Amino acid sequence: MRVVIKIGGSLIKEAPELVDRLVKEFGSGSPIPEEAHASEGLPCSVLIVPGGGVFADAVRKTDENFSLSEDAAHWMAIMGMEQYACYLKDKSRALGIDSIANLPQGVSVLFPYRLLRTEDPLPHSWDVTSDTIAAWVAKQIGATLIKATDVDGIFRNGKLVREISAVSYRGSRESCIDFALPGFLLKNRMECLIINGKFSDRVIHAVYGKSVLGTVVKGNI
């Protein structure tokens, strides 16, 4: 089993503790032994895709002030994700990787710049952020997708929505997910679980596939 966890920039204070909880539960990144199988009860790989956070915000501000090209803004924002990855690795015991070709067992943090420069799989636009990038990574490796952020999920009329079709959410900019994600989920028949990463137990339980408080955005119905 493989799980991608996108850790949002909104969790920059809590993220190191969350990553170390994951490492304690599932181990630090290491080569997968030939005898290891998902049936043993633990996921083979937990891959953390970093958000952009304050690093991408600096690029947005620069774009607002100096009118960057879409290409420049895109790659500068990806480098913001790279900086957040460096922060997560520095503050935790997770392994840092820059390739998804041979994923290690346990918990790893993706340094995404080289991979995305090589593949260049997504439009260069502020509509595409680390949410859709994490979904693309999950698709490439056949992983479950979890988005850990600073809210419990998607709310409508003040109430938490436990499950929502990506169809009904497509075109909405008032959300805790990026504008392009619903369309990507629909196109690839994927789903994304949004949970509050301030509660590390929820993230752990979600990796195990247990029911947790959050919102499932379904692109496969």
Side-chain angles (χ1 to χ4, degrees), residues 106-183:
V107 180
S108 306
V109 176
L110 179 65
F111 284 69
Y113 186 81
R114 186 173 73 90
L115 171 67
L116 296 174
R117 263 296 190 183
T118 301
E119 300 290 338
D120 199 10
L122 297 166
H124 297 183
S125 164
W126 283 116
D127 288 346
V128 174
T129 72
S130 52
D131 288 351
T132 303
I133 290 169
W136 177 82
V137 171
K139 178 179 179 293
Q140 300 313 300
I141 64 175
T144 300
L145 176 60
I146 298 170
K147 172 183 164 77
T149 186
D150 63 345
V151 294
D152 290 338
I154 293 173
F155 286 80
R156 284 191 168 176
N157 300 317
K159 294 183 178 180
L160 179 67
V161 179
R162 299 303 301 272
E163 184 176 297
I164 189 169
S165 169
V167 173
S168 66
Y169 222 76
R170 197 171 188 177
S172 174
R173 293 188 181 275
E174 298 180 1
S175 174
C176 61
I177 58 178
D178 76 30
F179 186 78
L181 182 61

Side-chain angles (χ1 to χ4, degrees), residues 14-86:
E14 297 86 1
E17 181 179 350
L18 171 59
V19 175
D20 271 341
R21 273 295 312 275
L22 289 164
V23 169
K24 182 178 180 181
E25 186 74 16
F26 302 110
S28 183
S30 59
I32 299 177
E34 292 183 1
E35 66 273 13
H37 300 283
S39 60
E40 292 176 355
L42 292 178
C44 290
S45 300
V46 177
L47 180 61
I48 294 169
V49 174
V54 295
F55 310 106
D57 288 344
V59 179
R60 287 180 185 272
K61 188 66 174 178
T62 302
D63 189 16
E64 291 171 4
N65 291 336
F66 302 106
S67 299
L68 299 171
S69 69
E70 289 187 334
D71 283 350
H74 178 76
W75 294 118
M76 290 168 70
I78 301 301
M79 285 189 279
M81 293 175 64
E82 192 93 348
Q83 289 177 293
Y84 194 21
C86 189

